[in-house]
Amino acid sequence: MLPDVASWLARRTSTAADWPPRLLLDAKGDTGISVVLPARDEEATVGAIVAAIRTDLVERIPLVDEIVVVDSRSTDRTAAVAAAAGAEVVAQDAVLPGLGRMSGKGEALWKSLYATSGDLLVFIDADLREFTSSYVTGLLGPLLADPAVGYVKGCYDRPLVDGERRVEGGGGRVTELVARPLINMHWPLLAGVMQPLGGEYAGRRALLERLPFVTGYGVELGLLLDVYQHAGLDAIAQVDLGRRVHAHQSTEALGAMSGQIMQTAWSRLERHGRMIPLEAPSTALTRFHRGADGHDARTTDVAVGERPPMAEVPGYAAARSFSPGTR
């Protein structure tokens, strides 16, 4: 391990237990805190997550100022369940409709900057099982304790759950097979980030609003690389949140995700001056499936869209003056 990576790990890694809610409340002052859950067809899990945050960190200890679920075109009862649990629900396409519709998790996260008011934003995936509010307090800890920290990634053990079978350490396949080798090869000082693609992280609005957001599955990698480029390694911290249990996707879906992550990495290598490309990469991903007459070729487009920094969007500064729940 590079000495700089070892030093960063020692200085910038903590655990959720290091950040008890009462300690954070004393440090909060007048800092506004928003928790955001991007959600698409997550009626089975989103309500319990919202209820835990509201009970523990709004009612019991007034740490969180707003819980916003960005509903990304759900076809089930995600919006109704989230609202009943106490969240403010915002339809993704109702935010900045004049800028057109794009798809993907990153689109929901980008629009959450417009739809929230907090100085600190905590992002939590809406498909988590066995969720506890220590995810939120853990991610907030380094931000409230140290003004030099601008971005906090969660890290955790990720079991692979397949029906009744659970394989410890079997989750995070795209991380281990795609993202980690890319990071170690091209951004070696980020090698200490244990879960670069994890969906639980937090940041200062003043930093996030200056960054572009990839709209698809590359959003987590894009943000990590852009934070590193704009603010440096020491602005990043990570917190061990324990375990992360969620539904897992098919190998085919993970292949498309991997393609988008590689496209995102390519764009950052070029944009940050780390390579001189001779031509643009292909965005076609061809895979084969055995049919009655042999193998059928199926091609998917894994191109990634991107939104500009929110600070550059007309009307954003005025939106920041709104109070929670008035949009």
Side-chain angles (χ1 to χ4, degrees):
M1 182 183 297
L2 294 173
D4 287 347
V5 176
S7 174
W8 177 83
L9 275 168
R11 290 181 293 103
R12 287 295 192 228
T13 303
S14 59
T15 70
D18 294 327
W19 309 108
R22 291 289 180 187
L23 174 68
L24 300 184
L25 185 62
D26 291 340
K28 171 182 167 67
D30 60 358
T31 302
I33 296 174
S34 303
V35 177
V36 173
L37 286 78
R40 182 172 186 175
D41 295 335
E42 302 294 355
E43 66 175 356
T45 49
V46 68
I49 298 171
V50 170
I53 298 170
R54 174 160 289 280
T55 298
D56 294 347
L57 304 179
V58 176
E59 297 170 357
R60 188 172 298 151
I61 297 177
L63 183 67
V64 170
D65 298 295
E66 59 181 347
I67 307 168
V68 176
V69 171
V70 182
D71 184 29
S72 186
R73 305 171 194 158
S74 293
T75 58
D76 65 2
R77 298 182 61 253
T78 291
V81 169
E88 176 187 353
V89 179
V90 177
Q92 174 180 302
D93 293 332
V95 180
L96 297 170
L99 298 183
R101 289 165 51 119
M102 297 182 75
S103 298
K105 177 184 179 183
E107 173 81 343
L109 295 176
W110 181 74
K111 287 190 171 181
S112 77
L113 294 179
Y114 191 91
T116 56
S117 61
D119 305 296
L120 305 180
L121 287 89
V122 181
F123 299 114
I124 302 290
D125 277 352
D127 66 342
L128 299 182
R129 306 170 188 174
E130 304 176 15
F131 173 84
T132 71
S133 60
S134 62
Y135 274 45
V136 175
T137 52
L139 292 169
L140 285 170
L143 293 168
L144 289 172
D146 188 345
V149 174
Y151 191 69
V152 181
K153 291 288 293 183
C155 60
Y156 22 62
D157 298 328
R158 299 183 66 175
L160 176 62
V161 180
D162 182 11
E164 297 299 318
R165 186 173 67 99
R166 178 176 296 200
V167 180
E168 295 299 330
R173 289 166 288 173
V174 175
T175 293
E176 299 305 327
L177 298 175
V178 180
R180 199 177 309 286
L182 279 171
I183 289 171
N184 278 262
M185 183 182 298
H186 298 293
W187 294 274
L189 289 183
L190 290 174
V193 178
M194 298 179 197
Q195 295 291 347
L197 304 185
E200 286 66 53
Y201 46 99
R204 298 188 188 278
R205 178 181 295 274
L207 175 60
L208 295 171
E209 68 187 6
R210 293 188 288 117
L211 304 177
F213 275 59
V214 172
T215 58
Y217 284 119
V219 60
E220 276 85 18
L221 180 62
L223 286 174
L224 177 64
L225 299 180
D226 287 344
V227 168
Y228 175 58
Q229 175 72 15
H230 285 79
L233 179 62
D234 212 45
I236 303 169
Q238 66 183 347
V239 177
D240 187 346
L241 303 177
R243 292 168 57 85
R244 185 184 196 271
V245 181
H246 69 121
H248 292 275
Q249 301 193 52
S250 67
T251 300
E252 184 171 350
L254 295 180
M257 184 186 301
S258 297
Q260 290 197 344
I261 288 166
M262 293 181 75
Q263 293 282 339
T264 301
W266 178 285
S267 72
R268 269 49 189 178
L269 285 169
E270 181 178 9
R271 188 174 303 170
H272 299 164
R274 291 176 174 267
M275 73 168 181
I276 301 175
L278 299 180
E279 60 184 30
S282 170
T283 63
L285 176 62
T286 299
R287 288 168 289 188
F288 294 88
H289 300 261
R290 183 177 291 279
D293 299 320
H295 287 89
D296 297 327
R298 301 178 187 177
T299 300
T300 304
D301 185 5
V302 293
V304 292
E306 187 169 295
R307 289 294 196 178
M310 184 58 77
E312 299 176 4
V313 173
Y316 169 68
R320 286 284 290 116
S321 67
F322 294 166
S323 298
T326 63
R327 293 174 186 76

